[in-house]
């Protein structure tokens, strides 16, 4: 019998946990880009573009950005089925879920307490993804499933249904999250000002009745001409005292014949409206073909067939960021694609992090962001937000694995690592923040104000340890990571000695650079019975 006691989605390989190496990031200043001048005081320069496997990259930023990302938008690769046509259906979904699960777990860690994640997905995996997200984020953190009309023209050549929409699953870090309520001019058209009221457009049709049964509010009113105005079936919305007060302020008034109570509301007093889960207005949230046109305008020399097949329009990302963020909030997209999320976030004054493994990081994202920063990209939402350019970003690539095997098959420190790289990597592996002290060489990082780490490839001798021990404060502690030491560790109660690479060898998986889904490299599935596949005696 299974020992699991909760309702969950299971699949082949779910419990085969992976320990991802926390790589350091290396900036390439030749590929980083900044505006030559400050356009305004709100320009943002510390944006981040990371080239590399997105699971390794997420792990690389996890320590620094845990709890700091306000909004995550991801458009993961859809499981269209065509990539898996030679595989058993159960394995197909398992492969896709194994791709997405560890990424979602880190993404949740990155969200701020008031943060939210928005995941674009289609029919093939939305229901599996919903259950998986319920498990990772908590069912009480499920906010909504938005239906986005992504096609401006139905496909008449299909044999079943024309797929004209995608989903956007919305989850929050904590329960009771709410989106921003925005004004929608289309839903305010009934506000008019025919009498030139100095308070502006108004509307007289809002209800005065109570939506729920309130016996204490079931009282009649006397009109200005002595008419009895009977209460609504459930009662009035307010007490008699409040009604009298609202009659004085003008929010409530009697009809010209004195037989009805009318509620006047002014447009300038209205708060935003709750967003709908049905996004079908193409002018507001765009569509896939519009997104392709946006890319074509940015890259006129590239054939449309060579552009992304399902890019997201800038209007869609703008809508999401309007509902979930404020200026200067941090936005993350770990499946950056053509860079739409970063482009929109930049134009809206949000800080951003994008991660992309494909070569289009260099052929599409960098050229696109340069146009955004230079102000020459006037497509997408640029004119709507009056984008004039400015700001910049830093380009990073993943460092190689900290350890590699020598010719005898032993794990050793990668020869590409210099001393600063090694020190920073050891900080990450042991949970320290890399922050080298300007005056005390052995204070390379810290976990608290009194707990430090020092990494060296030298032999730590008694003389060296004594010097360090003399400099340590009474309440300070130190972790020394070294290749070897010739001291009695018990003589230094405030210092812990650990050898490298032994101290990190079991912490994670070294030497693996690719956690992406490459179907071409997967082994062909042999036909097998269910009992063979799951193991005799196990539950199916």
């Amino acid at each position: 019998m299974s020992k699991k006691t909760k309702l969950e989605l299971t699949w082949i390989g779910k419990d085969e946990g992976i320990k991802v190496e926390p790589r350091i990031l290396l900036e390439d200043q030749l590929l980083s880009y900044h505006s030559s001048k400050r356009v305004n005081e709100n320009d943002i320069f510390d944006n981040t573009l990371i080239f590399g496997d997105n699971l390794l990259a997420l792990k690389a930023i996890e320590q620094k950005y845990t709890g700091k990302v306000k909004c995550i938008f991801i458009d993961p690769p859809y499981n269209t089925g065509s990539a898996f046509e030679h595989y058993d259906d159960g394995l197909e979904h398992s492969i896709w879920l194994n791709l997405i699960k560890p990424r979602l777990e880190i993404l949740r860690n990155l969200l701020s307490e008031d943060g939210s994640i928005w995941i674009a997905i289609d029919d093939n995996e939305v229901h599996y993804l919903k259950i998986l997200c319920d498990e990772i984020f908590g069912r009480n953190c499920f906010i909504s499933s938005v239906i986005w009309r992504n096609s401006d023209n139905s496909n008449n050549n299909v044999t079943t249904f024309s797929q004209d929409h995608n989903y956007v699953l919305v989850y929050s870090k904590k329960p009771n999250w709410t989106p921003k309520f925005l004004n929608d001019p289309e839903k305010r058209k009934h506000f008019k000002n025919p009498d030139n009221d100095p308070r502006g457009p108004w509307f007289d049709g809002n209800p005065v009745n109570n939506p729920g049964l309130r016996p204490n509010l079931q009282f009649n009113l006397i009109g200005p001409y002595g008419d009895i105005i009977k209460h609504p079936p459930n009662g009035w919305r307010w007490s008699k005292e409040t009604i009298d007060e609202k009659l004085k302020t003008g929010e409530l008034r009697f009809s010209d014949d004195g037989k009805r109570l009318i509620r006047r509301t002014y447009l300038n007093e209205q708060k935003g409206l709750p967003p709908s889960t049905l996004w079908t207005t193409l002018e507001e949230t765009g569509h896939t073909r519009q997104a392709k046109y946006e890319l074509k305008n940015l890259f006129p020399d590239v054939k449309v067939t060579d552009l992304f097949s399902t890019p997201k329009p800038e209007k869609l990302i703008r809508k999401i960021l309007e509902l979930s963020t404020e200026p200067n909030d941090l936005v993350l997209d770990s499946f950056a694609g053509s860079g739409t999320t970063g482009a929109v976030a930049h134009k809206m004054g949000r800080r951003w992090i994008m991660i992309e493994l494909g070569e289009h990081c260099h052929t599409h994202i960098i050229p696109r962001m340069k146009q955004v920063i230079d102000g020459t990209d006037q497509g997408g939402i640029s004119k709507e937000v009056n984008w004039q350019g400015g700001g910049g970003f830093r380009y990073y690539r993943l460092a190689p694995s900290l350890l590699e095997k020598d010719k005898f098959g032993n794990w050793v420190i990668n020869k590409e690592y210099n001393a600063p790289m090694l020190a920073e990597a050891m900080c990450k592996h042991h949970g320290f923040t890399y922050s080298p002290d300007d005056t005390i060489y052995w204070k390379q990082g810290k976990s608290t104000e009194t707990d430090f780490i020092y990494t060296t490839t030298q032999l730590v001798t008694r003389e060296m340890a004594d010097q360090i021990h003399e400099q340590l404060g009474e309440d300070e502690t130190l972790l020394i990571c070294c290749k070897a030491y010739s001291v009695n560790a018990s003589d230094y109660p405030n210092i812990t000695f650990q050898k490298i690479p032994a101290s990190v060898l079991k912490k994670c998986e070294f030497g693996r650079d690719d956690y992406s889904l490459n179907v071409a490299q997967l082994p062909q599935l042999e036909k097998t019975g269910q009992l063979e596949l799951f193991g005799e005696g196990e539950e199916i």
Side-chain angles (χ1 to χ4, degrees):
M1 292 291 291
S2 171
K3 294 182 180 180
K4 294 186 177 182
T5 59
K6 65 178 181 179
L7 180 66
E8 63 176 294
L9 180 66
T10 61
W11 64 86
I12 302 167
K14 177 182 180 179
D15 296 325
E16 297 175 5
I18 53 176
K19 295 181 179 180
V20 183
E21 179 185 2
R23 304 278 182 93
I24 62 173
L25 297 175
L26 305 175
E27 182 180 2
D28 187 336
Q29 294 185 354
L30 294 177
L31 294 176
S32 298
Y33 191 76
H34 300 87
S35 175
S36 59
K37 62 182 184 299
R38 181 175 286 276
V39 176
N40 61 61
E41 61 182 12
N42 298 318
D43 288 356
I44 300 174
F45 292 89
D46 61 343
N47 300 298
T48 301
L49 174 61
I50 303 173
F51 174 63
D53 179 272
N54 67 1
L55 183 56
L56 285 168
L58 286 173
K59 192 66 181 177
I61 66 173
E62 183 178 22
Q63 183 187 49
K64 180 178 180 180
Y65 289 103
T66 287
K68 296 181 180 179
V69 180
K70 187 66 171 294
C71 174
I72 296 170
F73 173 80
I74 58 171
D75 183 18
Y78 295 174
N79 181 2
T80 61
S82 60
F84 297 92
E85 60 186 354
H86 301 298
Y87 300 93
D88 184 72
D89 181 66
L91 185 61
E92 168 192 334
H93 293 291
S94 296
I95 293 170
W96 192 87
L97 290 166
N98 282 327
L99 167 77
I100 219 73
K101 178 177 179 287
R103 289 159 174 81
L104 290 177
E105 291 169 338
I106 297 179
L107 289 171
R108 184 188 182 278
N109 294 338
L110 296 175
L111 278 177
S112 62
E113 295 296 289
D114 58 349
S116 59
I117 182 171
W118 305 64
I119 310 173
I121 197 69
D122 70 354
D123 274 329
N124 288 290
E125 294 295 346
V126 63
H127 304 97
Y128 290 94
L129 180 61
K130 169 68 169 65
I131 299 173
L132 175 60
C133 287
D134 283 348
E135 181 179 332
I136 292 174
F137 294 94
R139 194 165 183 175
N140 58 347
C141 290
F142 170 67
I143 303 301
S144 186
S145 175
V146 174
I147 293 176
W148 169 54
R149 180 185 172 191
N150 69 310
S151 174
D152 65 332
N153 188 22
S154 293
N155 184 354
N156 295 322
N157 294 321
V158 294
T159 57
T160 53
F161 290 89
S162 174
Q163 294 295 326
D164 296 335
H165 74 279
N166 282 169
Y167 298 91
V168 181
L169 295 184
V170 187
Y171 281 81
S172 60
K173 178 68 171 285
K174 295 292 183 181
N176 303 316
W177 179 89
T178 55
K180 291 167 60 181
F181 285 14
L182 306 175
N183 280 317
D184 185 348
E186 289 297 313
K187 295 180 180 179
R188 305 292 198 190
K189 286 183 176 180
H190 55 286
F191 283 84
K192 307 289 184 182
N193 193 7
D195 56 355
N196 293 318
D197 191 312
R199 285 174 288 184
W202 50 266
F203 175 64
D204 275 350
N206 281 327
V208 294
N209 62 296
N210 204 296
L213 181 62
R214 295 291 300 277
N216 62 316
L217 300 179
Q218 292 176 329
F219 52 83
N220 295 333
L221 297 174
I222 304 298
Y225 308 123
D227 297 285
I228 296 176
I229 303 176
K230 187 171 176 57
H231 64 76
N234 284 345
W236 300 105
R237 228 168 233 268
W238 313 275
S239 66
K240 179 65 167 61
E241 293 75 14
T242 301
I243 289 177
D244 290 340
E245 183 62 31
K246 290 182 180 294
L247 283 168
K248 292 178 182 177
T249 63
E251 181 180 342
L252 295 178
R253 64 185 178 86
F254 292 105
S255 60
D256 291 341
D257 60 7
K259 296 181 180 181
R260 291 183 299 116
L261 187 65
I262 297 175
R263 179 185 178 188
R264 172 162 293 189
T265 53
Y266 289 89
L267 180 60
N268 61 11
E269 297 172 349
Q270 301 308 299
K271 298 180 180 179
L273 297 168
S276 170
T277 59
L278 194 59
W279 294 1
T280 59
T281 306
L282 299 177
E283 293 76 17
E284 182 182 1
T285 52
H287 50 85
T288 300
R289 183 155 56 170
Q290 181 184 69
K292 289 183 178 181
Y293 287 148
E294 290 172 357
L295 290 179
K296 183 63 178 174
N297 288 333
L298 290 169
F299 306 104
D301 297 330
V302 180
K303 294 188 298 184
V304 174
T305 52
D306 292 336
L307 295 172
F308 289 79
S309 58
T310 57
K312 298 301 177 283
E314 290 197 9
K315 288 182 178 180
L316 175 67
I317 307 302
R318 179 189 183 185
K319 173 86 169 182
I320 291 171
L321 297 189
E322 283 179 334
L323 292 172
S324 61
T325 65
E326 298 285 352
N328 207 45
D329 281 340
L330 182 59
V331 177
L332 168 67
D333 185 347
S334 57
F335 293 89
S338 63
T340 302
T341 301
V344 174
H346 203 95
K347 295 175 185 179
M348 293 179 66
R350 275 67 168 169
R351 294 175 294 130
W352 54 265
I353 301 172
M354 288 194 289
I355 301 169
E356 181 52 51
L357 171 63
E359 187 55 33
H360 44 268
C361 179
H362 306 111
T363 60
H364 289 72
I365 295 179
I366 291 178
R368 179 178 192 171
M369 294 312 302
K370 284 183 176 180
Q371 292 188 52
V372 171
I373 291 165
D374 291 341
T376 57
D377 171 13
Q378 287 301 305
I381 66 167
S382 292
K383 289 183 171 60
E384 297 172 38
V385 300
N386 192 29
W387 178 248
Q388 302 297 318
F393 66 88
R394 296 184 184 277
Y395 171 96
Y396 296 90
R397 59 180 175 84
L398 292 167
S401 182
L402 173 62
L403 303 183
E404 61 181 357
K405 287 188 175 181
D406 63 14
K407 61 181 180 180
F408 303 108
N410 299 314
W411 287 107
V412 296
I413 298 172
N414 193 318
K415 54 182 171 292
E416 293 186 43
Y417 273 69
N418 56 32
M421 289 172 62
L422 177 60
E424 183 178 357
M426 294 303 291
C427 281
K428 277 202 170 184
H429 279 278
H430 288 286
F432 288 74
T433 300
Y434 180 63
S435 55
D437 191 280
D438 292 333
T439 56
I440 303 176
Y441 73 91
W442 49 264
K443 288 186 175 181
Q444 297 173 336
K446 59 185 179 180
S447 63
T448 67
E449 291 304 313
T450 58
D451 186 33
F452 304 94
I453 184 174
Y454 171 51
T455 299
T456 178
T457 55
Q458 298 178 18
L459 169 69
V460 176
T461 63
R462 173 169 288 277
E463 181 182 7
M464 182 188 298
D466 286 344
Q467 289 176 350
I468 293 174
H469 189 260
E470 287 178 6
Q471 292 179 310
L472 267 176
E474 289 186 6
D475 61 340
E476 292 182 338
T477 54
L478 176 66
L479 169 63
I480 296 181
C481 300
C482 55
K483 282 193 173 181
Y485 56 90
S486 59
V487 300
N488 185 354
S490 61
D491 292 340
Y492 305 93
N494 289 5
I495 301 177
T496 301
F497 298 88
Q498 291 190 2
K499 293 181 179 181
I500 49 176
S503 66
V504 297
L505 201 51
K506 295 183 179 180
K507 285 181 175 289
C508 59
E509 182 179 24
F510 292 98
R512 182 171 177 180
D513 294 320
D514 186 2
Y515 287 89
S516 63
L517 178 60
N518 190 341
V519 178
Q521 295 179 2
L522 293 174
Q524 196 80 0
L525 180 70
E526 295 181 5
K527 294 296 181 181
T528 180
Q530 276 193 323
L531 287 180
E532 258 186 88
L533 187 62
F534 284 87
E536 187 174 355
E538 293 186 24
E539 289 191 350
I540 298 176

